[in-house]
Amino acid sequence: MSANSNQLVVPQATAALDQLKYEVAQELGIAIPQDGYYGNMATRDAGSIGGSITRRLVQIAEQSLAGQYK
C-alpha cells in the first residue's frame, strides 16, 4: 500500500507520472531514493521536483488546449 493518499483522476497515468518524476529529478540532478522512502530527502529537493512537474504538466495542458482551439 502506498503512503500517498492522492487519487488520480486517470489511474492509467501512474506510469507516465512516475516517468516524469524521474526525468525531472535527473534534469535537476536530484537522486530519487531507490527504496521509495522519501523521508530522508531534503524538503527543498522534493519541492523542486514537484514544482517542476507542475510547470511541465501545465505546459502540456496549455499546448493541448491551444491545439483544440485553433
Side-chain angles (χ1 to χ4, degrees):
M1 183 172 169
S2 175
N4 186 351
S5 62
N6 293 334
Q7 295 287 329
L8 294 178
V9 175
V10 182
Q12 297 82 357
T14 301
L17 289 170
D18 278 344
Q19 180 63 33
L20 184 59
K21 175 175 57 180
Y22 286 103
E23 287 176 15
V24 167
Q26 184 176 21
E27 289 172 11
L28 297 174
I30 300 170
I32 297 285
Q34 294 300 314
D35 61 1
Y37 177 69
Y38 290 86
N40 296 326
M41 178 179 268
T43 303
R44 173 174 282 181
D45 291 343
S48 294
I49 293 170
S52 294
I53 289 172
T54 301
R55 278 189 290 280
R56 179 116 17 118
L57 290 174
V58 168
Q59 180 183 22
I60 291 167
E62 287 175 347
Q63 290 171 348
S64 176
L65 287 171
Q68 285 181 339
Y69 295 104
K70 281 189 172 184

